[in-house]
Amino acid sequence: MPERTRLKIQWNPPVFGCEEFYAARKYFRNPAVPVRVFRAGHAGTVMHAHDFMELALVTSGSARYEFCSAAGVRRGCELMAGDLIGLAPGDRHCYSEGEAFTLCNILFQPEFLGGSWPELAELAGMKRLLRGESIHLNPARQAEAAALLDRINDEMWHAPVAMELAVRSLLTGFLLLAGRSGEAAPASTVAETETRDGVSRAIVYMEQHFARRIELARLAECARLSPTYFCSSFHAATGMTPWEYLIRLRLEKAKQLLRNSDFTVSEIAQRTGFCDASYLTRLFRRHEKMTPRRYAERGREWETPPRCPPGAEEKPNS
């Protein structure tokens, strides 16, 4: 009897670089729910466009981003972990080859949101995204955004009752978070762009070395700024001091290990740059209002086994 394999639908990324325009019919298998979430690593793409909305959250690394609106307005910037970008139908964009660059994307048709979309599109953050600007989310907001995308994906895979209603509600929440996260910003000068790129390099360094001892002088060196100017620039870009950002980053890494590993709290503290379990527990209580152990237990209580997504079926290998 031939071996049977399960076909996956929602989590496989589209293949970029094979053409310059991507049609919605290739990506939305369920016309009633024109939404798709996927994670992807990028080694560079050609300039391309599509006939649906896309928002992309940078989850790690950095890369050069080029954007050209349907009206011909061009922008370019260095993307870093925590950045969020948006693309309207007809906008063209590409990523240069970056360093450990990964994205979590959501594709959707605005009509799916009904009368909510015009109001969402008027939020300051959404206006910036649709102009081709990026918005930076601090680690806590980045984790919140990623969790919403994961929940959308889970709803579509698990096919629970009222899946369409749940996806619409979660997508609205994600767009609200994006829209509220970016107040209108003045046009950047060359010096401001260079400063932001320096902050980007420092954040990439934190992402890669969060488990080690990190000195302010090393971060400022990565940014090619003086320590004092680096601190003020970092706060302006992220809304946090470098140390606040690093603590939130380490806490998010600890939360991932608590959810997805069997390491003890002491082992997780060592793996995420905290001195010991007591220091991690103290910070965890302050930021999460519970102990690491309780967080891990709650995560196991919420776990559900993955199931085949709606419309997927098992077929024998030919």
Side-chain angles (χ1 to χ4, degrees):
M1 187 173 184
E3 182 184 356
R4 298 169 69 86
T5 58
R6 186 179 297 277
L7 300 181
K8 293 185 177 180
I9 293 177
Q10 289 286 46
W11 207 242
N12 292 339
V15 178
F16 292 135
C18 60
E19 56 184 307
E20 291 193 351
F21 186 84
Y22 309 108
R25 65 179 182 274
K26 294 185 177 182
Y27 300 107
F28 304 131
R29 295 182 63 94
N30 184 348
V33 188
V35 178
R36 184 170 180 179
V37 177
F38 64 90
R39 297 180 187 273
H42 283 283
T45 65
V46 297
M47 188 71 84
H48 59 277
H50 35 65
D51 60 355
F52 45 81
M53 290 289 304
E54 176 182 3
L55 267 67
L57 175 65
V58 182
T59 51
S60 68
S62 63
R64 182 71 186 173
Y65 174 63
E66 300 294 339
F67 167 90
C68 181
S69 73
V73 177
R74 291 182 174 272
R75 296 183 188 275
C77 68
E78 184 83 8
L79 293 178
M80 59 184 173
D83 280 351
L84 184 66
I85 56 173
L87 298 144
D91 290 345
R92 304 175 70 228
H93 61 289
C94 68
Y95 309 101
S96 67
E97 187 169 352
E99 184 176 357
F101 184 60
T102 61
L103 296 169
C104 186
N105 303 59
I106 182 162
L107 321 178
F108 66 95
Q109 293 291 19
E111 295 80 8
F112 176 64
L113 296 165
S116 299
W117 171 247
E119 188 174 357
L120 290 165
E122 286 300 310
L123 294 174
M126 287 302 300
K127 285 184 175 181
R128 286 185 60 189
L129 291 172
L130 297 179
R131 288 199 300 265
E133 299 177 28
S134 63
I135 292 173
H136 186 74
L137 307 181
N138 64 41
R141 285 211 166 188
Q142 181 184 349
E144 183 181 353
L148 283 168
L149 294 177
D150 283 341
R151 289 183 63 191
I152 292 170
N153 187 67
D154 288 344
E155 287 286 340
M156 301 188 73
W157 269 72
H158 294 173
V161 175
M163 180 268 284
E164 181 177 340
L165 176 62
V167 170
R168 185 179 290 111
S169 175
L170 291 166
L171 176 57
T172 300
F174 176 79
L175 297 177
L176 273 172
L177 184 151
R180 290 172 170 173
S181 295
E183 296 299 326
S188 298
T189 64
V190 172
E192 289 170 340
T193 299
E194 291 177 351
T195 298
R196 187 185 184 282
D197 289 349
V199 172
S200 170
R201 289 190 294 271
I203 287 178
V204 170
Y205 182 85
M206 289 185 189
E207 287 274 350
Q208 294 174 342
H209 303 284
F210 65 88
R212 303 179 186 175
R213 180 181 176 86
I214 295 179
E215 300 285 351
L216 175 61
R218 180 68 184 108
L219 294 176
E221 182 183 349
C222 288
R224 300 170 194 162
L225 302 170
S226 71
T228 301
Y229 188 56
F230 168 71
C231 288
S232 62
S233 300
F234 193 97
H235 191 277
T238 67
M240 309 172 80
T241 68
W243 305 128
E244 289 170 340
Y245 192 100
L246 182 59
I247 286 172
R248 289 301 320 191
L249 175 62
R250 286 170 169 169
L251 283 172
E252 293 303 328
K253 300 296 185 182
K255 286 161 66 176
Q256 292 175 17
L257 290 175
L258 287 165
R259 289 194 304 266
N260 303 313
S261 78
D262 294 323
F263 293 129
T264 66
V265 174
S266 294
E267 290 172 327
I268 289 174
Q270 292 296 324
R271 288 172 178 268
T272 53
F274 294 104
C275 299
D276 51 44
S278 61
Y279 182 50
L280 170 58
T281 299
R282 187 164 66 251
L283 288 174
F284 215 91
R285 282 182 181 275
R286 182 186 306 167
H287 291 274
E288 304 299 330
K289 312 304 179 187
M290 68 180 74
T291 65
R293 191 179 304 279
R294 176 57 189 147
Y295 182 88
E297 292 171 351
R298 190 183 66 170
R300 285 191 286 271
E301 289 169 2
W302 287 355
E303 282 181 351
T304 54
R307 289 174 19 185
C308 195
E313 53 187 33
E314 293 186 349
K315 293 185 180 180
N317 288 335
S318 56

